[in-house]
Amino acid sequence: MSLSADQVRQVAHLARLELKSEQVEHYARQLSNILDMVGQLSQAQTAEVSPMAHPLDMVQRLRPDAIAEENRREAFQSIAPAVQDGLYLVPKVIE
Amino acid sequence: MHTLSIKALAVGLRSKKFSARELAAHFLKRIEAHDGKLNSYVTVCADSALKEADAADARLARGEGEPLTGIPLAHKDIFCTQGVKTACGSRMLDKFVAPYDATIVARLKRAGMVMRGKANMDEFAMGSSNETSWYGPVKNPWDPTRVPGGSSGGSVAAVAAGLAPVATGTDTGGSIRQPAALTNLTGIKPTYGRVSRYGMIAFASSLDQAGVLGRSAEDCASVLEAMAGFDPMDSTSVDRPVDNYAAALDKPIEGLRIGLPKEYFAEGLAPGARDCVMNAVKKLQELGATVQEISLPNSPLSVPTYYVVAPAEASSNLARFDGVRYGHRAEGVKTLEELYKRSRGEGFGAEVQRRIMIGTYVLSHGYYDAYYLKAQKVRRLIYDDFKRAFQSVDLVLGPTATDVAFKLGAKTDDPVAMYLNDIYTIAANLAGIPAMSLPCGFVDGLPVGMQLMGNYFDESRLLNVAHRYQQATDWHTKLPKGFE
């Protein structure tokens, strides 16, 4: 399985990663090598096998629907790159 | 002081041979003298460590100390530490000061341990050589031209060089065991769900598990016991009592049934490493264990399985880094999409970007069944292999790594070659079973580790067997030249 430069650009777009143009070919080669290695999986006989998402047989634990956390907005906003009046700043999204 | 076991340090503190403050200062002095060569710490805690040490001294003076009170440690920089920078080896989090403590950080703090600093690591724990860190590579104290292994490379270098008595680590595909093997340390990755993941920066959530790196099974046992246990803040934490690991250490191992998976001794294992592991097997037989060959037929597929599952989970976990709420934010962007893309393009290094892209690709429409679903099915086969094995043996033994530590830079341009470092360690993460690495010899002056893999929640037995082996051998007591 090999990835073209265009496919790498598309995947990078989906993952919201800006790649420098000179990186694209390099990544295409490396990612293709990784997918080649991963391709060994096709040898495995898995017709009757159920997928395993998680190592432990467990059900999702539920908790009472009660407020357990204090409001720490100021502490959390103090580590944000850009805030104003208690709001997170992002570039304008509505014209 | 830096060569003493935790037990001996605890005795020293109680008999007033030295205070917790003196102990913390001693390790600081060693860090200042040696870490310039190793780069094992990314943050050294100055004032906070002394404060914690003074508090420990006060507790000990009142006779209230716990077994770990006053013992310094290094935390892998993947664990959130309130008020202390937590960068996870990434430019993305270079300015991130965690607003809360990880559960294990809080637990060890409550036990009275003194955080000496934060240990360097591969970026977001993605790497097997500690060369993907934004803060530069860590050097192996046994040979500074070689890697210490990864991703817990700073943790192992610090302990191996006597810059901390013990350190925490995390293990998603071998990140505790492989670096332990390469630096002559003992390291344990417990059963998935045994130790809380709350406050541990997520890489691959169905595989990540925290553990301990130390100089002996005994040291690891005491710290693991303090870390482990149910945590309501982690939805995959298992509500089950923690065994008394220390009490089980000395149990005789007569009749122990050890399985040697033939796939782990096949082509690819360096002859020198193989000899060390087989000598260790002989030693365990002398101690009363019985040995049989077993087969884990799907283990050759563990690396390809992992490189679908782990990147898939990583691509989803790392989606949170958006340049808005915390972490790196690109300057001078005009649109929201540009903000995301440039912040992530600048904030993540190449290995993290590769894994995000692989993960995004295998989860994308049209490829999901062929890659992700297929990998989850093979994961089940790997799990079934272990289930079958544990019907006839008590633990599985093999090498931890294919060879001794490799040279810095030797594999950085070839991701697949780097991934194959974890060929013997990944299966335990996929299955979720506990596993550890411990020293079993040297090849040309470089350490070799053997791996023990146990059944679910059988940490106690792993530590017991490792301890008995360490009572009968002295590999784990060897120190690298220049750091004695």
Side-chain angles (χ1 to χ4, degrees):
Chain A
M1 184 68 208
S2 83
L3 282 187
S4 67
D6 278 346
Q7 281 175 301
V8 169
R9 275 188 280 267
Q10 172 62 11
V11 170
H13 165 69
L14 291 173
R16 298 294 184 269
L17 284 173
E18 183 181 85
L19 305 184
K20 293 187 191 76
S21 52
E22 67 269 21
Q23 291 175 297
V24 174
E25 290 290 339
H26 194 55
Y27 274 140
R29 236 184 351 268
Q30 291 179 326
L31 299 185
S32 299
N33 289 342
I34 296 168
L35 290 174
D36 276 344
M37 183 269 285
V38 162
Q40 293 170 43
L41 288 176
S42 60
Q43 306 160 9
Q45 299 298 321
T46 54
E48 304 294 315
V49 182
S50 62
M52 176 173 159
H54 198 272
L56 299 176
D57 287 322
M58 62 194 309
V59 288
Q60 188 63 53
R61 204 170 54 239
L62 300 176
R63 58 169 174 77
D65 185 17
I67 297 169
E69 292 181 5
E70 52 190 308
N71 184 359
R72 298 187 58 206
R73 186 161 91 168
E74 275 171 36
F76 295 149
Q77 291 207 328
S78 70
I79 52 171
V83 286
Q84 188 186 316
D85 305 328
L87 303 171
Y88 292 93
L89 297 188
V90 293
K92 196 168 170 185
V93 286
I94 303 167
E95 289 302 327
Chain B
M1 282 184 263
H2 54 273
T3 57
L4 296 177
S5 69
I6 290 180
K7 214 185 204 170
L9 289 172
V11 170
L13 287 166
R14 277 162 185 77
S15 63
K16 304 214 164 52
K17 250 198 213 140
F18 43 81
S19 65
R21 183 181 253 265
E22 284 163 348
L23 194 55
H26 174 72
F27 281 102
L28 178 61
K29 231 166 89 189
R30 286 190 60 82
I31 294 166
E32 286 167 351
H34 295 290
D35 207 34
K37 299 186 283 270
L38 300 175
N39 198 26
S40 68
Y41 279 89
V42 284
T43 301
V44 177
C45 301
D47 296 347
S48 67
L50 290 182
K51 259 190 220 140
E52 287 170 20
D54 288 345
D57 280 328
R59 257 173 97 175
L60 289 164
R62 293 195 300 271
E64 290 166 8
E66 296 176 36
L68 295 173
T69 303
I71 309 292
L73 94 162
H75 276 302
K76 186 173 181 178
D77 206 25
I78 198 169
F79 293 106
C80 286
T81 46
Q82 184 160 8
V84 176
K85 184 172 130 174
T86 302
C88 213
S90 184
R91 184 184 182 196
M92 182 58 85
L93 291 174
D94 183 48
K95 295 189 175 65
F96 179 69
V97 176
Y100 66 100
D101 275 335
T103 295
I104 67 126
V105 170
R107 284 189 182 185
L108 296 178
K109 204 183 262 181
R110 269 202 303 278
M113 293 195 88
V114 174
M115 179 166 72
R116 190 56 285 180
K118 303 290 294 284
N120 201 347
M121 56 182 283
D122 277 302
E123 185 177 10
F124 285 100
M126 298 178 191
S128 307
S129 65
N130 214 116
E131 293 170 293
T132 73
S133 172
W134 168 250
Y135 301 97
V138 176
K139 317 285 167 58
N140 190 324
W142 290 91
D143 175 354
T145 68
R146 292 173 192 268
V147 304
S151 67
S152 309
S155 299
V156 291
V159 177
L163 313 185
V166 69
T168 54
T170 60
D171 190 314
T172 304
S175 282
I176 286 176
R177 291 161 286 157
Q178 181 254 15
L182 271 38
T183 56
N184 207 44
L185 293 188
T186 305
I188 181 160
K189 174 204 96 69
T191 308
Y192 181 83
R194 177 72 295 181
V195 173
S196 170
R197 293 185 295 109
Y198 179 71
M200 178 176 130
I201 294 169
F203 159 16
S205 302
S206 80
L207 303 162
D208 295 342
Q209 193 45 204
V212 192
L213 291 145
R215 275 196 295 268
S216 67
E218 182 190 77
D219 284 0
C220 289
S222 61
V223 177
L224 182 62
E225 207 171 307
M227 280 166 69
F230 177 64
D231 178 15
M233 299 300 278
D234 171 1
S235 69
T236 59
S237 172
V238 174
D239 193 357
R240 174 189 168 120
V242 177
D243 294 335
N244 186 337
Y245 302 134
L249 288 175
D250 284 314
K251 285 204 304 211
I253 60 166
E254 268 105 27
L256 176 84
R257 298 168 305 165
I258 296 176
L260 304 181
K262 62 176 186 209
E263 295 80 6
Y264 281 55
F265 293 89
E267 201 188 338
L269 176 61
R274 182 199 169 87
D275 291 346
C276 292
V277 175
M278 290 316 291
N279 286 336
V281 170
K282 261 186 229 134
K283 180 56 87 177
L284 288 167
Q285 282 176 302
E286 284 167 34
L287 295 171
T290 64
V291 172
Q292 54 180 288
E293 187 184 272
I294 59 165
S295 176
L296 300 170
N298 293 290
S299 56
L301 291 175
S302 55
V303 174
T305 303
Y306 180 86
Y307 278 97
V308 174
V309 172
E313 295 185 16
S315 71
S316 162
N317 271 325
L318 271 60
R320 73 190 66 183
F321 298 101
D322 56 4
V324 175
R325 291 160 304 158
Y326 51 85
H328 177 75
R329 180 189 183 101
E331 301 277 341
V333 291
K334 292 196 178 60
T335 67
L336 191 57
E337 184 171 307
E338 201 190 345
L339 172 68
Y340 296 150
K341 285 186 171 174
R342 284 206 20 226
S343 298
R344 292 163 62 79
E346 294 169 4
F348 294 135
E351 180 59 21
V352 173
Q353 295 194 353
R354 276 192 289 273
R355 296 205 197 183
I356 289 174
M357 287 191 281
I358 288 287
T360 304
Y361 180 76
V362 299
L363 291 176
S364 62
H365 182 70
Y367 299 103
Y368 181 90
D369 285 4
Y371 288 107
Y372 189 62
L373 206 62
K374 182 77 179 180
Q376 284 194 315
K377 288 178 176 177
V378 179
R379 184 175 184 180
R380 168 88 54 199
L381 296 176
I382 291 165
Y383 162 88
D384 287 342
D385 283 354
F386 280 108
K387 256 195 359 203
R388 208 172 309 115
F390 286 123
Q391 284 168 5
S392 55
V393 299
D394 301 311
L395 62 81
V396 174
L397 186 153
T400 306
T402 53
D403 205 346
V404 295
F406 50 92
K407 293 272 186 184
L408 284 152
K411 300 183 183 182
T412 38
D413 289 333
D414 186 350
V416 173
M418 188 67 92
Y419 297 169
L420 291 172
N421 277 303
D422 297 330
I423 191 159
Y424 303 133
T425 50
I426 279 174
N429 300 81
L430 291 168
I433 56 173
M436 68 187 293
S437 179
L438 64 152
C440 68
F442 288 83
V443 173
D444 301 330
L446 294 167
V448 174
M450 68 163 148
Q451 185 180 203
L452 309 178
M453 291 175 274
N455 212 337
Y456 293 90
F457 298 101
D458 212 5
E459 286 80 9
S460 198
R461 192 197 305 263
L462 293 184
L463 290 162
N464 167 219
V465 174
H467 180 68
R468 297 296 297 198
Y469 177 78
Q470 292 182 334
Q471 295 302 103
T473 56
D474 64 356
W475 302 118
H476 66 292
T477 64
K478 309 271 188 229
L479 301 169
K481 246 193 224 99
F483 298 98
E484 300 95 336

